[in-house]
Amino acid sequence: MTVALALLAGVLLGLLSAGIPGILWQAAAGGLLIAWALSSWRHHRWFGACALFMAGQLLAFAHAEHWRVRSLPAGETDGARLLAVGVVEDVPARDGSTLRFGLRTESLAGAVSPDTPRLLRIRWRDPHATPRVGERWRLLLRVTALEETCNFDGPDMVRQAFRAGIHGSGRVLPSAMNGLLALAPASLDTLRARIALRVGDRIADPDAAALVTALAVGLTAGMSRDQWRVFNATGTTHLVAISGLHVTLFAWLVFRGARLMWRRLPGAQVVAREPFALLLGLAAAGAYSLLAGLSVPTQRTWLMLALYVCARLAARRVDAGRLWAMAMVGVLVTDARAPLAAGFWLSFIAVGVLLAFAGEEWGVGGTQRRSGPVAHGWSVVRVQLTIMLALLPVTLAIFGGVSLTGLAVNLVAIPVISLVFVPVVLAGALTAWWIPAWDAPFFALAAHLYDLLWPMLAWCAEPADHAGLLRVAPSGWWFLMALPASLAWLFRWPWPLRLTASCALLPLAFAPTQGPDPADARVRVLDAGRGTVVLVTTRTHALLFDTGDAWNTHGTRLAEIVLPAIEASRIRRVDVLVLPTLDADRARAAALLAVERELGGVIVGGGWPASGLPASACRDSRWQWDGVQFLTYAVGGRCVLKVATGTTSVLVPGDLDTAGERALVARVGGADLASDVVIIGRQASELASSRQWIETTAPGLAIATGGIEGAQSRRRVADRWRRRSVVLDTRTDGAIDLQLGPRGWEVRASARASRFPFHWRRPV
């Protein structure tokens, strides 16, 4: 186990390291490895652990460098029209009229190193486009580098791209040059796509078909937002993807079936019954893992099963801890980027807890220490509770929330889904592969089971008090207290001691609100890429200005960037959403916000012709929340917001152009527009920020948001503001957190300075 932990520590340090030149880092680690190989101490346990620590760093650094040198450089190819020839890497997923898939390029004419293989994330807005996985295509693309946003909360898009090995993104342009060059050869991915298509043809309900597809071949792109909400609220997300539990169950079923059929299979007697059953079960588990896309949980499960089978065939006894450690080493050596996936931590921690501590409920040789249905039921509950408490700190650290109903729901959902639903789905998938004409009864039964189970699961996700999913953002000290408290439940310590240790978790349940003090306001200017979004919170209220969406983002920025910030601030109700102007992207985002959160009202620049939302046209108005003044101004069909606390204020002009700036100054006057902080309008383009506007507002701090990073016009606008004030830019500084109060204002933090810099990020 020491070896596995040393390798893991080295990989983590290699992934998180920053500031050390690559050649020096490789030379230092390589020199230590050579010294270990030549040293007489190389057989010493701790010296070997140090060598593996260095090897882990080298392994992670090699993965990062391999990805970095192939990534499209920002600024050099952004917006360029390039002709790409490549192979469709994964099964395309359709979202409305847009098709999304990965393209492994063979050539990218016009790019730096055009013949370097790259994986591009492609969007094709064509309802008639039908690329299939494995096919070779020629496509005219508008290529962009990976858009890097840096916020205090939410997913790190660059880290996700690094984890998936994606080097850039592109949009297919209409062109006569687009065309299919070669059909897809037979492969595992084509088989997965064929089974997924078969499921969609056999099951009419798209939600049921999406879940069956996810359990059969591991493709979750068709899952709806409501389905993910229910699974997250009930803590059953691990059952949606093909988890280690499902792989183990399938291997066990094949193993038992092989033992029963051994004498009836012609030629099987050449091999003894036990080796035959073990190898067949291992092969079945491997096939299922490959069919699932070989995710981290399935890798870990198959490696542990393989080690167990090898030990059994060699008549050797391998303890559970060694199985766990060897599986971790195998996963890390295969893919050093695995620790960037949440499934890596959840899977290995859960299995480690199960192997190390759940065995206390069992006697030697697998005989249960206590007998009877009551004792057996309590054993199952205790093991489930132990795993849940052990995973609590890491669940909060990764997801920022925990399901309060997860324990009770999983006690029923795990056996029902794993023992009933999954076998039916697998039978349908195998039949669709071997005998397609016979798969209809299995998929029909799976759809019927979904219709029976889903209403109960949805009911558990929506209790009357809406507290099924507790979202929190605990500080670092809480994790230091919660970790030993959760570990206390893993040992057979006296109950009073366990309950006393659990008191460390009480501050989480009764944590006070994180809202600002009365008469103060917290302003977060989020990094939304080319869009703009400002979140303003007072003691008991919240206002959102804009949604972060730019042209053709279809409301996705709100889901990817805004909602995580709202969840981290524990905001259940957005009292007002201010849209500076209305377009299709902002309308979609507003509808999504109304679905995800209680929405008090929408103020729209120019008005909203027709909507089921509580929308009204922007006008000159003033209101007060918790001692903080809010003012809106309507100018030429656009909406401007000002937030004031005493003598301190922030002005958010949104989409106001130079003509609107002159009109607003003439109507309102300079005294009312003067502000301490100004968000630069029109995404810091030269369509706004006239010299009169800068002199009238006279801020101490100007913040540029959105727009095209590195554009010449953006630099000229920033220089214009710098003659009067300090300038920060969300494209380079990340999200910016401001605190306003009667005593003044301060920049509390910027995201890029607060989050530890991963070394695969490009320098700023």
Side-chain angles (χ1 to χ4, degrees):
M1 188 173 295
T2 304
V3 170
L5 295 178
L7 183 63
L8 175 62
V11 168
L12 291 177
L13 185 59
L15 293 174
L16 298 174
S17 60
I20 300 178
I23 186 65
L24 297 180
W25 187 262
Q26 294 181 59
L32 287 174
L33 277 177
I34 293 174
W36 168 79
L38 299 178
S39 173
S40 59
W41 293 356
R42 62 181 180 273
H43 299 298
H44 193 277
R45 178 181 178 184
W46 291 106
F47 202 80
C50 291
L52 281 175
F53 176 75
M54 294 298 171
Q57 296 178 48
L58 277 178
L59 191 62
F61 191 88
H63 276 79
E65 282 296 298
H66 183 272
W67 176 82
R68 187 186 63 80
V69 298
R70 283 164 172 75
S71 296
L72 293 175
E76 297 183 20
T77 56
D78 280 359
R81 295 159 60 96
L82 305 179
L83 188 63
V85 175
V87 177
V88 178
E89 181 78 4
D90 50 22
V91 180
R94 184 170 293 279
D95 180 13
S97 62
T98 302
L99 200 66
R100 302 177 187 273
F101 57 92
L103 183 72
R104 179 73 63 180
T105 64
E106 299 172 355
S107 65
L108 191 61
V112 179
S113 303
D115 296 329
T116 300
R118 294 182 172 96
L119 179 60
L120 302 182
R121 186 167 44 204
I122 303 298
R123 291 174 291 118
W124 195 347
R125 295 190 182 98
D126 184 355
H128 305 294
T130 58
R132 299 178 184 274
V133 62
E135 292 180 342
R136 188 167 175 264
W137 281 76
R138 180 180 60 242
L139 299 171
L140 182 64
L141 305 176
R142 187 176 297 280
V143 176
T144 57
L146 293 170
E147 187 172 23
E148 178 181 356
T149 58
C150 187
N151 291 282
F152 298 100
D153 310 290
D156 189 327
M157 304 307 293
V158 176
R159 188 193 308 182
Q160 290 184 354
F162 171 66
R163 173 71 187 97
I166 296 172
H167 305 108
S169 59
R171 178 168 57 90
V172 180
L173 300 176
S175 173
M177 291 185 289
N178 297 335
L180 175 65
L181 300 180
L183 295 175
S187 66
L188 185 64
D189 286 330
T190 58
L191 174 62
R192 296 173 69 201
R194 193 175 70 193
I195 293 176
L197 184 63
R198 193 72 178 176
V199 171
D201 292 339
R202 291 296 191 184
I203 301 179
D205 185 356
D207 288 344
L211 181 59
V212 171
T213 301
L215 291 174
V217 293
L219 298 176
T220 59
M223 300 283 292
S224 67
R225 185 176 298 275
D226 184 62
Q227 285 179 303
W228 285 120
R229 178 189 63 81
V230 170
F231 289 128
N232 288 331
T234 54
T236 53
T237 308
H238 64 100
L239 295 177
V240 179
I242 301 179
S243 65
L245 178 64
H246 298 152
V247 174
T248 305
L249 174 65
F250 184 54
W252 180 79
L253 290 175
V254 174
F255 170 76
R256 299 292 297 181
R259 292 187 67 186
L260 293 174
M261 299 297 295
W262 177 72
R263 291 189 180 278
R264 298 175 178 83
L265 292 176
Q269 290 76 22
V270 177
V271 183
R273 186 180 69 169
E274 288 301 310
F276 173 78
L278 286 170
L279 292 174
L280 197 60
L282 180 62
Y288 192 20
S289 300
L290 290 173
L291 199 63
L294 207 62
S295 61
V296 172
T298 57
Q299 288 180 39
R300 182 261 307 161
T301 302
W302 189 84
L303 284 172
M304 295 185 74
L305 289 173
L307 293 171
Y308 173 77
V309 169
C310 291
R312 284 285 302 270
L313 294 179
R316 299 288 297 273
R317 183 181 181 276
V318 181
D319 59 90
R322 182 165 294 183
L323 281 175
W324 182 87
M326 294 176 70
M328 177 177 287
V329 170
V331 170
L332 292 175
V333 170
T334 304
D335 183 8
R337 297 169 296 184
L340 296 177
F344 174 88
W345 299 99
L346 298 176
S347 176
F348 274 102
I349 291 176
V351 173
V353 169
L354 201 62
L355 294 176
F357 300 103
E360 295 180 6
E361 294 293 328
W362 303 82
V364 179
T367 304
Q368 198 170 5
R369 183 175 296 169
R370 292 174 292 182
S371 59
V374 175
H376 180 72
W378 166 243
S379 175
V380 173
V381 171
R382 182 181 181 274
V383 169
Q384 183 69 27
L385 180 62
T386 298
I387 294 176
M388 183 177 177
L389 289 174
L391 290 177
L392 179 60
V394 69
T395 301
L396 290 177
I398 295 174
F399 302 109
V402 61
S403 173
L404 300 180
T405 60
L407 175 62
V409 173
N410 274 281
L411 287 176
V412 179
I414 288 177
V416 171
I417 293 179
S418 298
L419 298 177
V420 179
F421 196 73
V422 171
V424 173
V425 170
L426 281 178
L430 293 175
T431 308
W433 176 21
W434 286 334
I435 315 174
W438 292 4
D439 61 358
F442 296 103
F443 288 140
L445 179 57
H448 181 66
L449 290 174
Y450 176 86
D451 293 337
L452 292 177
L453 298 174
W454 182 254
M456 294 184 285
L457 197 63
W459 179 81
C460 294
E462 298 178 2
D465 57 357
H466 300 282
L469 183 63
L470 178 63
R471 297 192 180 277
V472 292
S475 58
W477 65 264
W478 184 87
F479 288 100
L480 294 177
M481 298 178 64
L483 184 60
S486 61
L487 290 177
W489 281 83
L490 304 181
F491 299 95
R492 300 184 63 85
W493 289 351
W495 280 104
L497 185 58
R498 299 190 201 184
L499 295 175
T500 302
S502 299
C503 290
L505 307 180
L506 294 180
L508 173 66
F510 301 101
T513 178
Q514 295 182 346
D517 295 334
D520 284 3
R522 187 177 184 183
V523 180
R524 278 197 170 185
V525 185
L526 304 182
D527 179 10
R530 297 192 176 186
T532 299
V533 58
V534 181
L535 177 63
V536 183
T537 55
T538 66
R539 184 68 176 177
T540 59
H541 294 83
L543 178 144
L544 185 66
F545 185 92
D546 214 339
T547 63
D549 285 282
W551 183 76
N552 259 344
T553 54
H554 302 290
T556 56
R557 288 302 190 189
L558 186 129
E560 296 171 352
I561 295 172
V562 181
L563 285 180
I566 290 176
E567 292 172 356
S569 300
R570 302 175 68 180
I571 297 173
R572 295 187 178 275
R573 171 187 168 90
V574 176
D575 296 278
V576 173
L577 168 64
V578 180
L579 298 178
T581 54
L582 184 64
D583 54 42
D585 299 299
R586 287 168 171 153
R588 288 190 180 189
L592 175 60
L593 180 62
V595 171
E596 295 292 333
R597 287 292 184 276
E598 183 181 353
L599 182 58
V602 184
I603 299 176
V604 187
W608 200 326
S611 173
L613 300 176
S616 60
C618 181
R619 64 181 187 277
D620 292 359
S621 62
R622 179 191 301 263
W623 72 91
Q624 186 180 40
W625 288 338
D626 304 318
V628 180
Q629 296 287 336
F630 290 83
L631 301 92
T632 57
Y633 303 103
V635 186
R638 295 177 173 86
C639 197
V640 177
L641 173 71
K642 184 175 182 179
V643 182
T645 58
T647 59
T648 308
S649 60
V650 173
L651 184 64
V652 191
D655 292 340
L656 199 65
D657 56 12
T658 53
E661 291 172 352
R662 289 193 296 269
L664 186 59
V665 170
R667 192 182 82 216
V668 177
D672 289 338
L673 292 177
S675 303
D676 297 277
V677 181
V678 171
I679 310 300
I680 301 176
R682 299 288 292 199
Q683 286 80 44
S685 70
E686 289 189 306
L687 297 175
S689 299
S690 63
R691 297 188 184 278
Q692 179 190 12
W693 179 257
I694 296 174
E695 294 300 323
T696 300
T697 56
L701 173 66
I703 301 176
T705 64
I708 301 175
E709 182 182 1
Q712 292 294 333
S713 61
R714 187 182 186 86
R715 293 194 183 98
R716 289 193 292 268
V717 169
D719 291 339
R720 198 181 304 164
W721 281 94
R722 284 193 182 95
R723 298 188 186 101
R724 183 63 181 79
S725 61
V726 177
V727 176
L728 295 178
D729 192 340
T730 57
R731 300 305 303 269
T732 56
D733 299 304
I736 299 168
D737 191 5
L738 302 171
Q739 184 77 22
L740 275 68
R743 298 172 299 280
W745 63 274
E746 65 172 340
V747 178
R748 298 181 57 184
S750 63
R752 201 171 297 282
S754 300
R755 299 184 73 167
F756 193 88
F758 295 91
H759 84 288
W760 56 81
R761 290 185 183 278
R762 48 189 172 82
V764 296

